[in-house]
Amino acid sequence: IVCLLASSIVPFLVTGPFIPDLILSSLSIWFLYYCVKKKILKIFKNKYFLVFIIFWIFCVLSSLLSDEILFSLKSSIFYIRIGIFAILISYLIDLNKKILVFFYYAIAITFLILVIDGFFQHFTGYNILGYSKYTIRVSSFFGDEYILGSYLTRLSPLFFALFIVREKKKFESYFFFILLFLVSILIFLSGERAAFFLFFLSSVFIIFFFSSYKYQ
């Protein structure tokens, strides 16, 4: 259940920040309670979490020195939930690597739906839910928020990494690369030049490091 909830954050990000943040915060609070109950707080003793805590303390101190202290603290003090959630994901992977499969399919299905809906909106002028295309840019389910390209760009490297680490059949490889190619076109159609540049840059790095890995 925890694995499913954690991976569901990926598709729910399309609906806006409320549901993903609710899931992330709830899982972080539950995991903290679980660690105290099971007396496994030692899993927080790692260098990555220590660096995060230092960064978090710096953010809180910056908020205390700001003009709008309460407004600033509202975002910074609860930022610690991100670090706790990261430890939760690491813990789940150590227990059962099946969570990587959940995340892979969550991204794959979300990307596939966005590709179908995005191209539909590009050619018809409106998407499946009836959101009109006000400009030449495609936004799909994001409506008047033109962040489709940013969403796809930031999840693509993770999608590629999950594809590499899991066992797969030959037809899945074809599906993956065709989907990623269509995603690149959709990012271009979104009209976000920064997102398209970042996608191109990340693709170059991925090809370079993957080629080096295969060579070794």
Side-chain angles (χ1 to χ4, degrees), residues 23-211:
I23 295 172
L24 188 149
S25 300
S26 300
L27 287 178
S28 298
I29 293 170
W30 169 83
F31 184 59
L32 201 57
Y33 166 76
Y34 175 83
C35 290
V36 172
K37 184 179 179 181
K38 297 291 183 179
K39 298 178 180 179
I40 53 172
L41 289 172
K42 62 180 181 180
I43 64 174
F44 291 95
K45 294 180 179 179
N46 67 71
K47 57 184 179 182
Y48 301 109
F49 190 71
L50 177 61
V51 171
F52 173 82
I53 289 296
I54 293 172
F55 173 72
W56 174 67
I57 292 173
F58 174 78
C59 290
V60 173
L61 291 175
S62 297
S63 296
L64 291 173
L65 297 174
S66 66
D67 296 328
E68 298 288 341
I69 296 177
L70 292 178
F71 179 77
S72 185
L73 275 176
K74 187 173 65 174
S75 58
S76 63
I77 201 166
F78 294 110
Y79 191 71
I80 194 171
R81 71 193 190 284
I82 306 296
I84 297 172
F85 183 74
I87 297 296
L88 165 61
I89 298 299
S90 175
Y91 180 71
L92 291 174
I93 292 172
D94 288 338
L95 284 181
N96 189 348
K97 288 185 170 53
K98 187 177 288 187
I99 188 176
L100 297 176
V101 178
F102 290 160
F103 269 102
Y104 173 79
Y105 281 112
I107 298 175
I109 293 171
T110 305
F111 274 17
L112 182 60
I113 293 172
L114 287 173
V115 163
I116 294 171
D117 186 71
F119 278 100
F120 182 82
Q121 188 183 48
H122 175 69
F123 289 112
T124 65
Y126 54 90
N127 82 328
I128 297 172
L129 296 181
Y131 295 152
S132 299
K133 187 175 68 170
Y134 301 105
T135 65
I136 60 172
R137 299 171 63 181
V138 172
S139 61
S140 186
F141 296 108
F142 293 98
D144 57 357
E145 292 187 85
Y146 291 96
I147 56 173
L148 173 63
S150 300
Y151 176 86
L152 295 171
T153 296
R154 283 158 176 75
L155 282 177
S156 292
L158 177 60
F159 186 39
F160 186 87
L162 292 171
F163 170 76
I164 295 299
V165 299
R166 61 183 294 272
E167 295 182 6
K168 49 200 167 288
K169 297 179 181 179
K170 193 173 182 179
F171 77 90
E172 290 182 285
S173 299
Y174 291 133
F175 167 78
F176 171 81
F177 286 108
I178 291 172
L179 180 58
L180 208 58
F181 174 71
L182 293 174
V183 163
S184 66
I185 297 175
L186 192 58
I187 292 172
F188 176 78
L189 293 176
S190 72
E192 296 179 63
R193 287 175 290 183
F196 187 74
F197 174 75
L198 288 174
F199 179 82
F200 174 77
L201 194 64
S202 63
S203 298
V204 170
F205 276 106
I206 286 171
I207 292 170
F208 175 76
F209 287 116
F210 185 62
S211 299

